[in-house]
Amino acid sequence: MQAQILKADEDEEYYFDEGCFILELSNSADDPSVSIARARVRPGVTTKLHRLQGAVERYVVLAGAGMVRIDDLAPQNVAAGDVVIIPPLCPQQITNIGEDDLVFLAICSPRFTLGVYEALK
């Protein structure tokens, strides 16, 4: 790994079948210990129930309002500044309960690859 500054390119945002838009901010085999993506969920949308195998995921909520469901925890509302920690293999999904886009960072360690993603429904 080498020192660098990565610039976000809004044109690189893509729709992920889980139900949200993703902009990869840092996800490279050169830095396998972590990935950082910006996720954006439209109002009224609930992402598909899923889990990650072998990766811890953290949501850092930047804007909007959501309700998150993780494993056996009661659903909880989240807003800007909240951090959600999701251990490997925990079923998870998030709903945008606000009127604006729900925006959060999804930080995974080790880094996210499609191979760790498992849809549950």
Side-chain angles (χ1 to χ4, degrees):
M1 179 184 348
Q2 53 185 248
Q4 58 184 312
I5 297 172
L6 304 173
K7 300 283 190 173
D9 181 353
E10 294 295 330
D11 292 336
E12 295 292 320
E13 183 184 63
Y14 63 92
Y15 182 77
F16 187 50
D17 187 48
E18 176 187 324
C20 59
F21 294 87
I22 298 292
L23 177 61
E24 294 286 356
L25 300 173
S26 178
N27 189 347
S28 168
D30 293 334
D31 185 8
S33 57
V34 69
S35 63
I36 304 167
R38 184 191 71 197
R40 184 171 60 84
V41 181
R42 290 189 170 147
V45 171
T46 299
T47 61
K48 292 181 181 176
L49 186 65
H50 66 283
R51 65 184 180 180
L52 301 185
Q53 297 184 26
V56 176
E57 186 168 22
R58 297 151 193 91
Y59 294 167
V60 180
V61 182
L62 302 176
M67 181 176 50
V68 68
R69 292 177 185 86
I70 305 167
D71 203 22
D72 294 332
L73 295 178
Q76 293 190 37
N77 290 349
V78 293
D82 291 343
V83 176
V84 179
I85 300 172
I86 308 162
L89 297 177
C90 285
Q92 59 173 294
Q93 67 185 157
I94 193 164
T95 301
N96 182 340
I97 60 172
E99 296 181 10
D100 299 314
D101 285 350
L102 172 63
V103 180
F104 57 94
L105 297 178
I107 303 169
C108 294
S109 57
R111 79 182 184 101
F112 179 86
T113 62
L114 286 178
V116 304
Y117 182 88
E118 181 184 358
L120 296 176
K121 285 191 178 184

